[in-house]
Amino acid sequence: MNTLFHDAPAGRPASLSRRVLSQGKYEASTMLRNGEQLVLMIVMPLLGLIALAVTPILDGMGQSRINIATPGILALCALSTAFTGQGIATGFDRRYGVLRFMSTTPLGRTGLIAGKVIAVLAALVIQVVVISTVAAFLGWRPEPAGVLLGIPLLVLGAITFTALGLLIAGTVRPEATLAITNLGWILFAALGGIVLPAATFSASMAGVVDWLPSGALGTLMRAALIEGRLDVFAIVILLAWAVAGSVAATKWFKWN
């Protein structure tokens, strides 16, 4: 409450940017102190990276296992933190009245969503550093030009999945949020094209995967980090999901 009202001179309400930044700092510190969140953020993606690097699942795709696996695992980090982590945390904040209290502050729906995006991005920086370091030790050699391209794409993915996670958390009961976001994580990770390229699925399944936000982000990260290029179709799909999810979350998010 104090950070929302007293960061400006003469006791005037803080500016929107200060309120959003303050909320983002709070959300990030809460997330990084939560052991379950850290398992979801760090341990699960690391296990997935190692599993794909030592098993033949990705063999025969024209690149080393680690080169194909790492872009997808980085995309999975955005899914884990933005969609599942924020969705569950926000759902239970609704249940215990935290969001009802926040609705009395000048933060507003847009400010709340923006603050959560900041927290997700802060956590994503840590995830990227850890995953990239381990991948480098395992032999990962990304396309240099694609590294700079991959950063904003990963940010766009985090924004997209934060909006979708908040849409679920702000419209259904916390127990349903827990079930939907966990099930969504499993389906997106296993069948959504985020970790495994669409080429590993049947032609009909691949056609569906290409239109999913998970498939679009996975395709974008692999195109950038393996080939150093931007996949135009995938960026259009991901932008559409980002806009639709953000508008829907802002419009239908319920504080209690």
Side-chain angles (χ1 to χ4, degrees):
M1 176 75 77
N2 289 339
T3 56
L4 293 175
F5 288 97
H6 298 301
D7 282 354
R12 293 193 299 271
S15 64
L16 177 61
S17 60
R18 283 181 177 269
R19 295 196 297 267
V20 169
L21 183 59
S22 178
Q23 180 66 20
K25 290 178 179 178
Y26 167 76
E27 296 276 356
S29 63
T30 301
M31 184 188 308
L32 295 175
R33 290 198 302 265
N34 188 312
E36 293 179 1
Q37 289 272 33
L38 289 176
V39 169
L40 187 66
M41 288 167 46
I42 303 295
V43 177
M44 296 299 289
L46 272 178
L47 291 176
L49 179 69
I50 294 170
L52 291 173
V54 301
T55 59
I57 296 175
L58 299 177
D59 285 354
M61 303 193 71
Q63 290 281 334
S64 67
R65 296 171 183 173
I66 194 66
N67 278 357
I68 298 175
T70 305
I73 294 298
L74 291 173
L76 181 65
C77 288
L79 172 67
S80 300
T81 304
F83 181 73
T84 308
Q86 277 297 331
I88 293 172
T90 304
F92 282 94
D93 279 349
R94 278 183 70 215
R95 177 174 188 171
Y96 296 120
V98 175
L99 297 186
R100 188 183 306 118
F101 165 76
M102 291 178 64
S103 68
T104 65
T105 73
L107 188 64
R109 289 180 175 86
T110 302
L112 174 65
I113 292 173
K116 288 183 176 295
V117 169
I118 289 174
V120 168
L121 294 179
L124 193 58
V125 169
I126 298 173
Q127 291 174 290
V128 169
V129 170
V130 172
I131 295 298
S132 298
T133 300
V134 174
F137 277 111
L138 293 174
W140 179 44
R141 298 295 180 266
E143 179 66 33
V147 173
L148 293 179
L149 180 59
I151 293 172
L153 294 176
L154 200 56
V155 170
L156 176 60
I159 292 171
T160 303
F161 283 112
T162 299
L164 294 175
L166 293 181
L167 175 61
I168 294 169
T171 54
V172 304
R173 295 175 62 86
E175 295 82 4
T177 298
L178 181 65
I180 292 170
T181 54
N182 277 316
L183 179 60
W185 187 90
I186 293 171
L187 293 177
F188 281 143
L191 302 173
I194 199 164
V195 174
L196 300 177
T200 60
F201 302 106
S202 65
S204 57
M205 183 68 179
V208 174
V209 166
D210 286 338
W211 291 88
L212 298 176
S214 53
L217 181 57
T219 297
L220 284 166
M221 293 300 292
R222 281 183 287 272
L225 296 175
I226 296 175
E227 304 172 29
R229 67 176 180 88
L230 177 67
D231 189 297
V232 177
F233 176 77
I235 191 69
V236 170
I237 296 299
L238 191 61
L239 281 169
W241 278 100
V243 172
S246 299
V247 170
T250 302
K251 181 177 181 179
W252 289 310
F253 189 95
K254 298 176 183 177
W255 294 92
N256 52 52

